[in-house]
């Protein structure tokens, strides 16, 4: 594992240096070294007792999964490990649909060694690319939900059980989930060492427009996936494109006032997927698939067009991460957003606040302003539970909430008649308490709060 990581890190550093210059490369390397020293991650597999308990309880669920795997000249040890990881599931109501575009018969010969009727193999006449090949498997899916699995990756034995349990739990509350995803990690070529765990947040609209943080393990209502299908124009980012089109579908047809914040999407905060990292893989060498990041950019641009949002999508300094700049501003385009907050920086150039969890704790606190943070999220636009009034822009609806909250309606700007809430901010104000109360009211009214890392305020 160490050799692969060192080589991949060297590649990343050289590519980053060429793209962003010495200053940014210096901070990127410094941050990565610090993060690797602090990384104490160890994958904890479910115990034998837990797995046995899951097998005994699995019969209570009636959900069928269709696992889609497009294969192409897969190495034998990787293919067998993938197949074994699926067949070892504690929840057994599934079908595994393999669409094989290989020129040789290596995949077919290995699959024939497995006599499980849940494995359904199809040899494709030609290699149409990742999207077309996956669509061939999707065409024959019969499950309630379809799940995506790469031909050289691994599922944890509790992956389908955890998905089925969450679907069942939500159904008992009269919610039919359309999409689910889990946490994931990476493993070395031998699947002996696990690292770079990706702990994901609950669904976050603006974050998904910045990066496909959902990635693996993606499960979607089968009828919805078949309706959308995969598009060859986005090969390399076909999963990202699928997710964005599914989100647009869930938001509905009203493209000017997207206020629905309770989308039927669930995040399972458990590592259910191991992304194999070997020489030549995207996990090991992201720069090997620049076309995929360009395809991701096109997917975000397509989403904006579908929603009738006017904005420019650009790559940021990290591969596979994007920024949307709205024209003329975010409020004009999106009636679902009432507040945009920014980042508070102290005199030593470290983050001291600006974006907060619901309990008031600050995300990214103590991070150097040049650092990008865990999974680069500190430099990505994202939805927030709360932002700080000291570095904030609000819509007219947001101003009305502030005026109601502060009870200072007489403080209006004589030029435009609008409530001049900034004049209310002084040393007597408890900024954290005011910020949390205000943002709570905004969320209860159904509006989104967006945090923009490019909006900064220096606090001495």
């Amino acid at each position: 594992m160490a050799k692969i990581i060192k080589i991949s890190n060297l590649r990343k550093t050289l590519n980053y240096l060429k793209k962003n210059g010495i200053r940014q490369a210096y901070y990127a390397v410094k941050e990565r070294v610090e993060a690797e020293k602090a990384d104490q991650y160890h994958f904890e597999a479910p115990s034998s007792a837990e797995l046995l308990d899951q097998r005994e309880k699995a019969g209570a669920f009636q959900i069928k999964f269709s696992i889609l795997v497009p294969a192409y000249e897969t190495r034998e040890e990787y293919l067998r490990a993938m197949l074994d990881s699926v067949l070892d599931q504690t929840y057994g109501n599934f079908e595994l649909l393999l669409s094989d575009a290989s020129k040789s018969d290596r995949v077919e010969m290995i699959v024939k060694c497995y006599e499980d009727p849940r494995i359904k193999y199809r040899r494709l006449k030609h290699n149409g690319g990742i999207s077309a090949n996956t669509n061939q498997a999707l065409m024959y899916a019969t499950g309630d939900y379809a799940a995506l699995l790469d031909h050289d990756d691994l599922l944890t034995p509790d992956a389908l059980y955890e998905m089925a349990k969450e679907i069942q739990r939500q159904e008992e509350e009269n919610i039919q989930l359309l999409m689910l995803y889990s946490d994931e990690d990476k493993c070395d070529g031998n699947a002996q060492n696990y690292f770079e765990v990706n702990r994901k947040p609950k669904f976050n609209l603006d974050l998904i427009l910045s990066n496909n943080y959902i990635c693996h393990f993606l499960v979607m209502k089968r009828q919805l996936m078949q309706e959308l299908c995969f598009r060859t124009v986005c090969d390399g980012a076909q999963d990202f494109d699928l997710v964005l089109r599914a989100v647009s579908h869930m938001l509905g047809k009203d493209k000017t006032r997207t206020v629905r914040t309770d989308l039927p999407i669930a995040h399972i905060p458990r590592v259910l997927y191991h992304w194999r990292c070997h020489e030549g893989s995207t996990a090991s060498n992201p720069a090997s698939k620049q076309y995929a990041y360009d395809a991701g950019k096109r997917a975000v641009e397509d989403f904006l067009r579908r929603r009738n949002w006017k904005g420019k999508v650009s790559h940021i300094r990290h591969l596979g991460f994007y920024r949307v700049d709205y024209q003329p501003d975010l409020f004009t385009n999106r009636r679902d957003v009432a507040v945009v907050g920014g980042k508070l920086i102290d005199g030593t150039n470290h983050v001291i606040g600006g974006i907060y969890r619901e309990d008031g704790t600050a995300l990214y606190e103590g991070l150097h302003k040049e650092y990008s943070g865990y999974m680069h999220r500190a430099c990505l636009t994202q939805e927030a539970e709360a932002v700080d009034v000291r570095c904030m822009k609000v819509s007219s609806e947001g101003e009305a909430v502030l005026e109601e909250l502060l009870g200072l309606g007489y403080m209006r700007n004589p030029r435009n008649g609008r409530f001049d809430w900034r004049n209310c901010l002084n040393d007597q104000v408890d900024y954290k308490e005011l910020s949390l109360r205000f943002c709570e009211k905004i969320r209860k009214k159904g509006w989104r709060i967006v945090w923009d890392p490019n909006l900064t305020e220096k606090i001495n």
Side-chain angles (χ1 to χ4, degrees):
M1 179 185 70
K3 182 179 178 181
I4 291 176
I5 293 176
K6 288 179 180 178
I7 292 174
S8 66
N9 283 352
L10 179 59
R11 289 195 189 114
K12 291 175 184 177
T13 301
L14 292 175
N15 288 322
Y16 195 93
L17 177 62
K18 293 177 183 177
K19 182 172 181 283
N20 301 295
I22 294 176
R23 176 183 171 80
Q24 293 292 347
Y26 166 76
Y27 281 108
V29 171
K30 188 172 185 289
E31 182 178 14
R32 186 172 185 88
V33 169
E34 291 175 5
E36 288 182 352
K37 286 181 179 179
D39 185 11
Q40 300 295 319
Y41 174 69
H42 298 283
F43 172 67
E44 294 186 11
S47 67
S48 298
E50 288 177 302
L51 297 178
L52 178 60
D53 183 62
Q54 289 178 10
R55 294 183 192 280
E56 292 175 350
K57 292 178 178 178
F61 308 138
Q62 301 302 315
I63 300 124
K64 181 180 178 181
F65 294 96
S66 296
I67 304 173
L68 313 180
V69 179
Y72 181 78
E73 303 294 359
T74 316
R75 287 172 54 171
E76 179 176 356
E77 62 269 31
Y78 296 167
L79 180 62
R80 287 185 180 277
M82 181 275 292
L83 291 169
D84 291 343
S85 78
V86 174
L87 297 179
D88 285 345
Q89 292 296 302
T90 57
Y91 184 80
N93 190 6
F94 65 82
E95 58 183 0
L96 175 59
L97 301 167
L98 283 143
S99 56
D100 180 19
S102 303
K103 294 180 180 179
S104 71
D105 62 355
R106 69 159 72 171
V107 172
E108 184 175 8
M109 292 299 99
I110 295 169
V111 173
K112 283 183 177 179
C113 297
Y114 292 78
E115 299 180 353
D116 195 307
R118 294 172 296 180
I119 300 178
K120 300 178 181 179
Y121 171 86
R122 283 181 174 80
R123 183 77 174 268
L124 304 184
K125 293 182 179 180
H126 69 279
N127 182 11
I130 185 67
S131 294
N133 297 349
T134 308
N135 283 336
Q136 287 294 312
L138 178 60
M139 183 187 309
Y140 296 98
T142 62
D144 301 294
Y145 288 82
L148 304 180
L149 173 61
D150 287 352
H151 64 158
D152 53 359
D153 292 343
L154 303 165
L155 294 180
T156 64
D158 56 337
L160 295 184
Y161 176 87
E162 292 294 342
M163 291 290 176
K165 184 174 70 172
E166 181 63 16
I167 292 168
Q168 179 81 7
R169 186 185 73 80
Q170 298 267 12
E171 285 182 350
E172 290 172 357
E173 298 180 8
N174 296 317
I175 299 172
Q176 184 177 81
L177 292 174
L178 294 182
M179 190 162 71
L180 304 89
Y181 61 97
S182 74
D183 294 343
E184 63 186 279
D185 63 18
K186 294 177 182 176
C187 66
D188 60 7
N190 296 321
Q192 297 297 312
N193 298 288
Y194 303 92
F195 51 96
E196 291 188 17
V197 62
N198 188 350
R199 304 288 188 190
K200 305 170 188 177
K202 65 181 182 180
F203 181 72
N204 187 307
L205 177 58
D206 287 270
L207 186 60
I208 198 64
L209 293 177
S210 303
N211 167 249
N212 181 19
Y213 74 89
I214 287 177
C215 205
H216 312 115
F217 174 46
L218 176 64
V219 172
M220 187 178 292
K221 193 72 175 173
R222 187 257 304 169
Q223 294 93 330
L224 177 59
M225 190 180 290
Q226 287 179 328
E227 176 184 338
L228 298 174
C229 290
F230 295 88
R231 302 193 301 176
T232 56
V233 69
C234 288
D235 269 1
Q238 68 283 342
D239 297 3
F240 190 21
D241 174 61
L242 176 72
V243 166
L244 291 177
R245 287 184 291 124
V247 169
S248 184
H249 170 87
M250 294 178 214
L251 288 173
K253 296 181 179 180
D254 185 349
K255 299 178 182 179
T256 59
R257 188 171 179 82
T258 307
V259 295
R260 184 173 183 186
T261 58
D262 58 337
L263 298 183
I265 301 173
H267 164 234
I268 298 176
R270 292 176 64 93
V271 172
L272 302 180
Y273 192 102
H274 301 306
W275 188 3
R276 194 187 296 271
C277 181
H278 55 86
E279 286 298 326
S281 70
T282 309
S284 177
N285 180 20
S288 66
K289 289 192 175 181
Q290 178 60 45
Y291 75 92
Y293 306 117
D294 294 334
K297 179 175 177 287
R298 292 195 298 274
V300 178
E301 290 169 339
D302 180 72
F303 179 91
L304 298 183
R305 284 192 293 269
R306 288 173 182 272
R307 305 313 307 168
N308 197 28
W309 295 349
K310 308 299 182 184
K312 180 182 178 181
V313 182
S314 56
H315 296 281
I316 66 170
R317 64 182 187 268
H318 302 289
L319 288 171
F321 297 82
Y322 313 96
R323 177 174 174 81
V324 179
D325 289 293
Y326 294 92
Q327 305 161 1
D329 61 32
L330 191 151
F331 297 130
T332 302
N333 282 273
R334 294 178 53 182
R335 302 292 296 174
D336 60 319
V337 177
V339 180
V340 176
K343 184 163 51 179
L344 299 180
I345 306 294
D346 69 9
T348 66
N349 290 322
H350 288 81
V351 177
I352 57 172
I355 179 172
Y356 305 104
R357 301 180 183 87
E358 196 170 356
D359 64 2
T361 56
L363 277 74
Y364 318 128
E365 185 172 14
L367 199 68
H368 192 280
K369 73 171 187 176
E370 298 291 348
Y371 282 11
S372 62
Y374 180 68
M375 297 294 164
H376 303 310
R377 289 176 196 153
C379 64
L380 301 179
T381 303
Q382 58 201 266
E383 279 189 77
E385 295 288 342
V387 294
D388 201 293
V389 295
R390 289 170 289 180
C391 186
M392 184 177 76
K393 299 177 182 178
V394 296
S395 66
S396 57
E397 293 90 347
E399 286 182 345
V401 174
L402 263 176
E403 184 173 10
E404 174 188 336
L405 181 65
L406 295 171
L408 296 170
Y410 60 88
M411 299 184 68
R412 292 186 172 274
N413 190 313
R415 288 177 297 177
N416 56 25
R418 296 179 67 174
F419 174 52
D420 204 347
W421 56 272
R422 289 179 178 82
N423 289 336
C424 304
L425 305 181
N426 53 55
D427 293 340
Q428 306 304 312
V429 175
D430 184 334
Y431 293 112
K432 177 71 73 67
E433 191 269 343
L434 175 59
S435 299
L436 294 177
R437 279 199 297 139
F438 167 62
C439 291
E440 181 182 17
K441 285 183 175 290
I442 289 293
R443 293 198 314 274
K444 285 183 176 179
K445 289 182 178 292
W447 287 306
R448 298 184 196 276
I449 302 167
V450 172
W451 183 72
D452 180 354
N454 286 10
L455 179 65
T456 62
E457 183 75 25
K458 196 91 171 205
I459 304 294
N460 295 320

